[in-house]
């Protein structure tokens, strides 16, 4: 019987920065798979290589060696426009630093990925407003991003990540710049994306409490996977992750 | 991503950084405004000079002292003494044989004229009774002096309208006496208000018999020029050649070599060609200066676009993370550059047009020139296309730099 291909499969992935004496190995012999619909936390200390891994998984960077299969296809076989299309349609990014356009409104920020999609323009505003509604920011739709609180900014970033209805959400330290209340709200939303909307969520964090929202935690140390285990006592969406 | 969307994004980015955008386009605005101003002034000047040349009529020829001026240094020859009374006598005597309608000598100087306590600096022209015919003007009151008056060195004057207004503000001028260089002249005619006729402003002149002028006013016995009118315009080219022969004979010049001549003959056609050539050279020179300023403006655009690319590194990384291709990023920055320079071009066209109009008003009202405002439509179209082209040319490098940014480095950029 043929088993279902994992959404993401890594084989001996290696990433080296620099050349000669200044070479730094960020990732080494990384092997794991992530199935569609999973909520996986990649956990490690600062400089462990977790963000490098997320960038490769999110097609923002390429490995030095090893193989990365996405949907059964080798990432090195995708052309630059194909990678851009994948980032646009398949993946949604939530960054620690939000990365919003400060002089654009909430609506304009959420519209941004649609501008690069093949979605008809007539549908853009409806889709963007739906995504903004999903993160409970209807009252801020016409406000400039620069005027929002940190928690609101991160919710805008989540709405932007959701607007093209992606299969995978990459969240890179999404609560890292937030206070505990805002962080809880953001984690509730991310939790729901997985449990209710069945999105694959890959969460990068250095905090155990945040990682425990996931079904599975892959721990990385010095660029190597040191453990890959299911979470026994998974936190509920409403749990205060920061405790 | 559609081109329309790229335009929208580019326009939003420009508007998001209004002050910088305005400063960026300043060089282009000045460059294009200069082009419009230069072409408008050039067209206006050509129009003014051509109108003045044409006002003399196509049948007119002018004999002046010295050789045909080919450069600024040659103009001093215009003040030499080679055109004398005997030349005029001969040409006037033989005018029928030479197919000439009129022959009028001109000796002129700007002199102070007095009537009681009123003074005016007028262009005093010593000539004959035939001069008004050439200028197609007649006194509105009184009359022009006669051939006999010229022979008799009569102290008669025919004055222009402004001279009349300044010297006789409250009284009738006709029959009154005016004083030029201490000599009394009787006003026997007053010209109507006529303005510019050829190169003369008729309102500011006083016509006196040249004989009187030579004896009492100018202190010399040679003319500035002799104006001749051919019987037919078609005869002018051959007549000009015939006149050269006559003048050489009168001046005892044995060779048929223009470099040996001590006179030159100008026809209206030659004057028109010369005006055209001068305005073309002037326009070309000024356009070259404007072109340099546009290139400098373009380099400014490139610099500021490169700064903009660096400043917006994070935005570029974000757009790439959200699905923008290298082409999308490149096109966005290229269109931003083109939109900026095109906007600069439009502002420059409006500013240049406005300044040209203002200048035409100043020249018309304050300097009393018959200056016509000419909007250079071709210059405007060329200016707009050039400004957009500069954006395209100088936007390519920053656009490529933007597209080449690594999204990870871009997102990490602080």
């Amino acid at each position: 019987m043929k088993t279902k291909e994992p959404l993401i499969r890594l084989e001996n992935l290696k990433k080296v920065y620099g050349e000669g004496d200044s070479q730094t190995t960020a990732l080494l012999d990384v092997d794991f798979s992530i199935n569609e619909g999973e909520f996986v936390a990649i956990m490690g200390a600062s400089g462990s290589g977790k963000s490098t891994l997320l960038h490769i998984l999110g097609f923002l960077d390429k490995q030095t060696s090893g193989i990365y299969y996405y949907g059964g296809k080798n990432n090195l076989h995708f052309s630059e426009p194909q990678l851009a299309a994948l980032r646009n349609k398949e993946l949604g990014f939530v960054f620690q630093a939000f990365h919003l356009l400060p002089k654009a409104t909430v609506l304009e920020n959420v519209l941004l990925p649609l501008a690069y999609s093949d979605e008809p323009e007539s549908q853009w505003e409806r889709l963007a407003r739906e995504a903004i509604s999903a993160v409970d920011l209807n009252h801020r739709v016409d406000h400039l991003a620069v005027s929002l609180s940190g928690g609101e900014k991160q919710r805008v970033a989540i709405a932007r990540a959701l607007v093209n209805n992606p299969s995978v959400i990459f969240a890179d330290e999404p609560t890292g710049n937030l206070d505990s209340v805002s962080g809880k709200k953001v984690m509730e939303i991310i939790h729901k994306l997985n449990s209710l909307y069945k999105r694959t969520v890959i969460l990068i964090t250095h905090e155990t409490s945040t990682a425990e929202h996931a079904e599975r935690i892959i721990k990385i140390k010095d660029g190597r996977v040191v453990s890959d285990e299911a979470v026994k006592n998974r936190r509920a969406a409403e749990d205060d992750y920061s405790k | 991503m559609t081109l329309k969307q790229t335009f929208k994004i580019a326009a939003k980015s420009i508007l998001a950084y209004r002050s910088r955008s305005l400063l960026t386009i300043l060089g282009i605005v000045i460059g294009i405004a200069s082009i419009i101003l230069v072409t408008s002034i050039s067209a206006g000047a050509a129009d003014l000079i051509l109108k003045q040349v044409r006002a003399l009529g196509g049948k007119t020829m002018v004999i002046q002292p010295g050789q045909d001026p080919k450069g600024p240094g040659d103009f001093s020859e215009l003040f030499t003494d080679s055109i004398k009374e005997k030349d005029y006598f001969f040409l006037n005597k033989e005018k029928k044989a030479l197919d000439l309608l009129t022959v009028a000598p001109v000796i002129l100087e700007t002199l102070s004229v007095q009537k009681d306590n009123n003074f005016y600096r007028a262009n005093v022209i010593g000539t004959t009774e035939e001069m008004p015919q050439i200028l197609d003007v007649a006194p509105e009151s009184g009359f022009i002096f006669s051939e006999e008056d010229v022979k008799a060195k009569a102290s008669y004057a025919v004055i222009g309208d402004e001279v009349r207004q300044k010297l006789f503000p409250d009284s009738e001028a006709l029959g009154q006496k005016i004083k030029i260089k201490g000599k009394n002249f009787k006003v026997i005619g007053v010209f109507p208000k006529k303005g510019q006729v050829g190169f003369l402003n008729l309102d500011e002149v006083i016509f006196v018999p040249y004989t009187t002028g030579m004896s009492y006013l100018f202190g010399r016995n040679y003319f500035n020029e002799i104006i001749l009118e051919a019987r037919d315009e078609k005869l002018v080219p051959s007549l000009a050649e015939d006149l050269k022969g006559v003048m050489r004979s009168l001046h005892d010049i044995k060779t048929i070599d223009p470099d040996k001549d001590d006179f030159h003959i100008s026809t209206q056609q030659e004057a028109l060609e010369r005006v055209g050539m001068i305005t073309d050279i002037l326009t070309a020179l000024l356009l070259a200066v404007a072109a340099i300023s546009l290139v400098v403006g373009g380099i400014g655009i490139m610099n500021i676009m490169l700064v903009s690319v660096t400043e917006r590194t994070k935005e570029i990384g974000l757009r790439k993370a959200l699905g923008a291709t290298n082409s999308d990023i490149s096109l966005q920055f290229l269109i931003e550059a083109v939109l900026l320079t095109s906007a600069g071009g439009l502002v420059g066209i409006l500013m240049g047009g406005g300044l040209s109009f203002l200048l035409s008003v100043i020249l018309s009202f304050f300097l009393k020139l018959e200056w016509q405002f000419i909007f250079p439509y071709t210059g405007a179209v060329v200016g707009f296309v050039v400004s957009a082209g500069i954006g395209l040319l100088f936007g390519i490098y920053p656009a490529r730099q933007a597209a080449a940014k690594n999204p990870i480095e871009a997102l990490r950029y602080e």
Side-chain angles (χ1 to χ4, degrees):
Chain A
M1 191 179 143
K2 193 181 175 186
T3 53
K4 197 185 171 191
E5 176 78 22
L7 180 67
I8 288 167
R9 184 153 59 88
L10 306 180
E11 289 177 7
N12 295 319
L13 207 73
K14 184 180 178 184
K15 178 69 181 178
V16 178
Y17 290 111
E19 288 174 357
D21 293 342
S22 61
Q23 263 193 1
T24 309
T25 303
L27 294 172
L28 191 63
D29 297 333
V30 176
D31 284 280
F32 63 76
S33 299
I34 296 173
N35 293 316
E36 202 169 341
E38 263 194 296
F39 188 161
V40 179
I42 297 173
M43 200 180 148
S46 178
S48 60
K50 57 187 190 302
S51 288
T52 301
L53 182 58
L54 177 125
H55 292 147
I56 294 171
L57 293 177
F59 304 118
L60 294 169
D61 203 355
K62 284 177 180 165
Q63 69 274 30
T64 309
S65 65
I67 305 172
Y68 165 26
Y69 292 105
Y70 181 86
K73 199 170 173 188
N74 189 327
N75 72 326
L76 300 177
H77 295 166
F78 291 116
S79 65
E80 191 270 328
Q82 283 175 324
L83 289 173
L86 276 171
R87 288 195 293 266
N88 182 250
K89 294 187 189 93
E90 290 281 316
L91 317 180
F93 291 94
V94 180
F95 301 100
Q96 181 179 359
F98 322 127
H99 290 315
L100 301 181
L101 299 180
K103 291 187 177 181
T105 63
V106 167
L107 182 65
E108 286 166 343
N109 268 288
V110 178
L111 280 168
L112 204 56
L114 290 164
Y116 301 106
S117 73
D118 46 16
E119 203 66 56
E121 197 176 340
S122 57
Q123 299 298 311
W124 290 4
E125 190 166 336
R126 180 184 62 78
L127 291 168
R129 284 183 186 276
E130 278 176 14
I132 292 165
S133 181
V135 296
D136 201 19
L137 277 176
N138 289 333
H139 60 294
R140 295 291 239 166
V141 74
D142 292 321
H143 290 224
L144 289 180
V146 73
S147 69
L148 304 178
S149 70
E152 286 174 326
K153 281 179 184 167
Q154 198 57 295
R155 278 147 67 194
V156 175
I158 294 172
R160 186 182 62 195
L162 290 178
V163 75
N164 268 339
N165 199 20
S167 307
V168 187
I169 302 287
F170 288 103
D172 187 5
E173 302 273 14
T175 58
N177 279 350
L178 304 180
D179 61 78
S180 60
V181 177
S182 303
K184 184 181 171 188
K185 177 90 179 165
V186 164
M187 282 315 297
E188 270 179 30
I189 295 167
I190 291 174
H191 211 110
K192 272 188 202 167
L193 289 175
N194 175 250
S195 56
L196 285 180
Y197 301 105
K198 308 300 177 197
R199 299 285 181 276
T200 305
V201 175
I202 298 172
L203 174 74
I204 302 286
T205 184
H206 66 280
E207 290 174 331
T208 310
S209 53
T210 307
E212 283 174 349
H213 280 269
E215 300 165 292
R216 183 178 149 203
I217 299 176
I218 298 171
K219 285 187 179 166
I220 293 188
K221 191 178 177 188
D222 299 330
R224 290 172 186 270
V225 174
V226 291
S227 70
D228 183 349
E229 293 169 347
V231 179
K232 285 174 190 163
N233 298 309
R234 192 182 175 201
R235 282 176 181 271
E238 63 275 20
D239 280 358
D240 184 348
Y241 73 97
S242 62
K243 279 176 190 167
Chain B
M1 191 179 197
T2 63
L3 202 60
K4 185 182 152 197
Q5 274 307 313
T6 314
F7 264 100
K8 273 189 185 173
I9 289 173
K12 271 185 188 167
S13 299
I14 290 169
L15 292 174
Y17 302 93
R18 281 188 183 87
S19 308
R20 189 174 60 196
S21 302
L22 279 173
L23 287 172
T24 308
I25 63 173
L26 210 57
I28 300 296
V29 170
I30 293 168
I32 297 294
S34 311
I35 288 182
I36 299 299
L37 194 62
V38 161
T39 43
S40 178
I41 290 172
S42 176
D47 174 73
L48 178 73
I49 297 168
L50 292 179
K51 268 195 286 194
Q52 291 177 350
V53 171
R54 286 195 185 108
L56 288 173
K59 294 189 281 185
T60 309
M61 290 167 287
V62 180
I63 302 174
Q64 288 177 313
Q67 287 178 13
D68 199 357
K70 291 180 180 69
D74 298 340
F75 281 95
S76 59
E77 292 201 29
L78 288 173
F79 303 101
T80 55
D81 62 353
S82 63
I83 310 293
K84 298 256 174 61
E85 212 174 5
K86 66 171 175 121
D87 300 321
Y88 162 66
F89 285 154
F90 183 83
L91 293 168
N92 194 40
K93 197 176 82 181
E94 299 297 330
K95 65 182 174 189
K96 278 191 181 160
L98 287 166
D99 279 327
L100 294 169
L101 273 180
T102 46
V103 177
V106 172
I107 176 168
L108 64 90
E109 216 165 284
T110 305
L111 297 171
S112 181
V113 189
Q114 183 187 0
K115 171 63 186 169
D116 301 330
N117 292 325
N118 297 321
F119 292 87
Y120 184 74
R121 278 189 73 78
N123 289 319
V124 181
I125 297 176
T127 185
T128 66
E129 72 288 350
E130 293 195 342
M131 186 63 173
Q133 289 175 42
I134 295 171
L135 299 176
D136 193 22
V137 64
E140 67 175 355
S141 60
F143 50 88
I144 190 82
F145 40 79
S146 66
E147 194 179 345
E148 284 69 34
D149 294 333
V150 174
K151 279 180 188 160
K153 298 185 185 177
S155 298
Y156 289 159
V158 182
I159 63 175
D161 185 64
E162 192 170 319
V163 182
R164 179 189 61 77
Q165 283 183 40
K166 298 286 180 189
L167 297 182
F168 302 95
D170 308 311
S171 58
E172 175 63 43
L174 213 59
Q176 299 292 312
K177 289 210 169 135
I178 56 174
K179 202 170 264 185
I180 312 173
K181 270 195 162 179
K183 182 169 177 60
N184 283 322
F185 283 80
K186 184 180 176 186
V187 178
I188 60 164
V190 179
F191 288 123
K193 190 170 176 60
K194 193 87 176 176
Q196 203 77 21
V197 179
F199 292 101
L200 273 182
N201 185 339
L202 207 71
D203 299 340
E204 298 170 353
V205 299
I206 296 177
F207 281 9
V208 297
Y210 80 85
T211 47
T212 322
M214 279 182 170
S215 298
Y216 303 109
L217 303 179
F218 305 120
R220 55 188 162 100
N221 62 354
Y222 55 90
F223 296 114
N224 293 89
E225 59 190 27
I226 297 174
I227 304 178
L228 312 103
E229 199 177 16
R231 198 164 41 76
D232 193 305
E233 196 173 329
K234 288 175 193 162
L235 296 171
V236 169
S238 61
L239 203 46
E241 286 307 308
D242 292 347
L243 284 168
K244 278 180 194 166
V246 171
M247 289 299 289
R248 280 181 192 128
S249 159
L250 285 168
H251 289 202
D252 207 20
I253 298 167
K254 309 284 186 212
T255 53
I256 307 173
D257 179 1
D259 289 341
K260 299 276 190 287
D261 291 345
D262 60 357
F263 66 92
H264 66 274
I265 299 172
S266 310
T267 64
Q268 193 202 46
Q269 190 56 38
E270 281 173 3
L272 291 176
E273 283 168 10
R274 198 167 301 159
V275 168
M277 193 179 74
I278 291 167
T279 52
D280 284 353
I281 291 170
L282 197 68
T283 306
L285 280 172
L286 293 171
L287 285 179
V289 173
I292 291 166
S293 83
L294 280 176
V295 170
V296 173
I299 293 167
I301 292 272
M302 186 163 71
N303 276 331
I304 294 182
M305 287 303 292
L306 283 171
V307 171
S308 174
V309 167
T310 307
E311 270 185 15
R312 289 158 65 191
T313 297
K314 266 193 171 183
E315 180 194 324
I316 294 164
L318 175 70
R319 287 183 184 278
K320 283 194 167 183
L322 298 181
T325 60
N326 289 344
S327 313
D328 288 332
I329 299 292
S330 177
L331 198 62
Q332 181 192 328
F333 278 86
L334 197 60
I335 288 175
E336 267 188 51
V338 172
L339 279 179
L340 270 173
T341 53
S342 303
L346 276 179
V347 174
I349 289 166
L350 292 175
M351 194 183 275
L355 286 173
S356 310
F357 180 74
L358 199 66
L359 191 75
S360 71
V361 170
I362 291 168
L363 291 171
S364 307
F365 281 87
F366 296 100
L367 299 181
K368 292 176 182 167
L369 291 172
E370 282 184 27
W371 191 279
Q372 196 186 342
F373 167 64
I374 296 171
F375 183 77
Y377 289 99
T378 313
V381 172
V382 170
F384 183 74
V385 172
V386 165
S387 61
I390 282 171
L392 200 63
L393 188 68
F394 290 95
I396 287 173
Y397 181 63
R400 282 190 176 171
Q401 293 289 101
K405 285 214 177 282
N406 179 316
I408 297 304
E409 285 168 19
L411 283 170
R412 280 183 185 149
Y413 182 82
E414 290 298 338

